[in-house]
Amino acid sequence: MKTVAVMQPYFFPYAGYYRLLAAADTFVILDCVQFPRRGRVHRCALPGTGRWITLPVEPAPRDSLIREMRLAPDAAERLRAQCRKLPSPMHGDTPLRRQVADLLASPEGPLVPYLERSLRIVAEAFGFACQICRSSDLDLPAGLGAEQRIIEIVRRHGGTRYINSPGGTDLYNFDTFRRAGIELKFLTPYQGGNTHFLSAIFEKNVADLCGDIAGGCTFQPVPAEELPEGRSFRGDTRKP
């Protein structure tokens, strides 16, 4: 069984997001959809009410796709000022912290490669062996609905199971995926303590962060009404 996860690239989101990289064989960056102006693609929440770090991006039409966005020419200077909100001093005493500090110091060019680099830094530090790629490289047919787009992406990568975050339970239909020959699974809600992952990188050790993520890779049971006739109820499972 090959497990595929598909998700918009987020700028250092909560630690639960990275469970998709831990549990999948292939993680597909969904960059062929519209850029969400108020979403988490370029915004990172910090501890405290209303505290954010926002990647400065160039002005673009409202209907621009994520793959079309670029970091602003003065992004490095503007991001440097925002990074003063992070734990001080910003330690560079581990490979992960050094790489993240270097990333924050050098925002330039297209947005997606920058976000992909952040994902690869974390995956490598935690030993997650999933393949990371982009949906924009697949040349998907125009006009696909959200659910059919995901199914096509999973098919293109030879996947037989699609996993999604808990927030996707209202977006996808078990039977639609089943008829496409794909098992649909959702992660359980994140129960860890690293909801502000970027700050945690500079405050906690790699082993604790990795354990928090990998230990939370459990799946919700398939609702009884969604099971094929004659199948028994299937509870939470972990990726082998």
Side-chain angles (χ1 to χ4, degrees):
M1 175 176 288
K2 182 175 182 179
T3 300
V4 178
V6 184
M7 183 63 70
Q8 294 180 12
Y10 289 168
F11 179 51
F12 291 108
Y14 77 113
Y17 173 102
Y18 295 95
R19 294 179 300 170
L20 294 171
L21 281 79
D25 299 303
T26 299
F27 180 90
V28 182
I29 295 171
L30 186 64
D31 63 345
C32 60
V33 296
Q34 185 173 340
F35 173 69
R37 302 284 164 173
R38 300 293 295 175
R40 300 296 185 101
V41 169
H42 69 311
R43 302 168 71 236
C44 170
L46 299 178
T49 303
R51 299 181 70 240
W52 297 83
I53 288 181
T54 302
L55 288 173
V57 296
E58 289 186 351
R62 183 160 293 277
D63 60 352
S64 295
L65 305 180
I66 295 174
R67 70 185 183 204
E68 297 170 333
M69 301 301 297
R70 296 184 60 87
L71 291 157
D74 61 347
E77 179 181 354
R78 291 162 61 185
L79 189 58
R80 187 181 309 114
Q82 295 186 70
C83 285
R84 297 186 186 121
K85 304 173 188 176
L86 289 169
S88 181
M90 278 180 53
H91 299 295
D93 56 350
T94 68
L96 174 60
R97 291 171 181 168
R98 284 194 294 272
Q99 289 183 74
V100 171
D102 289 345
L103 181 78
L104 295 174
S106 57
E108 59 182 9
L111 177 62
V112 170
Y114 184 82
L115 297 174
E116 181 178 339
R117 183 180 163 199
S118 75
L119 293 172
R120 291 185 181 278
I121 286 172
V122 174
E124 180 179 347
F126 294 166
F128 300 156
C130 66
Q131 175 190 19
I132 298 176
C133 47
R134 306 176 196 172
S135 65
S136 58
D137 291 335
L138 297 175
D139 193 24
L140 297 171
L144 288 176
E147 196 168 46
Q148 290 302 318
R149 181 188 296 115
I150 296 298
I151 288 173
E152 184 64 18
I153 290 172
V154 176
R155 280 175 170 166
R156 295 282 188 97
H157 284 282
T160 53
R161 177 165 66 174
Y162 170 63
I163 61 172
N164 196 255
S165 62
T169 54
D170 294 331
L171 301 176
Y172 305 115
N173 181 272
F174 284 91
D175 191 54
T176 301
F177 277 78
R178 187 180 298 118
R179 284 187 274 108
I182 300 168
E183 180 185 17
L184 174 62
K185 299 291 286 185
F186 296 99
L187 288 166
T188 54
Y190 173 67
Q191 301 295 329
N194 297 304
T195 54
H196 304 100
F197 187 67
L198 182 57
S199 295
I201 287 174
F202 294 100
E203 295 174 317
K204 300 184 179 183
N205 64 57
V206 168
D208 288 343
L209 290 173
C210 181
D212 174 56
I213 293 169
C217 290
T218 56
F219 299 110
Q220 300 180 31
V222 178
E225 63 273 16
E226 298 290 353
L227 287 168
E229 187 175 354
R231 290 282 296 278
S232 59
F233 185 81
R234 192 173 183 185
D236 288 5
T237 58
R238 290 180 183 268
K239 179 177 180 290

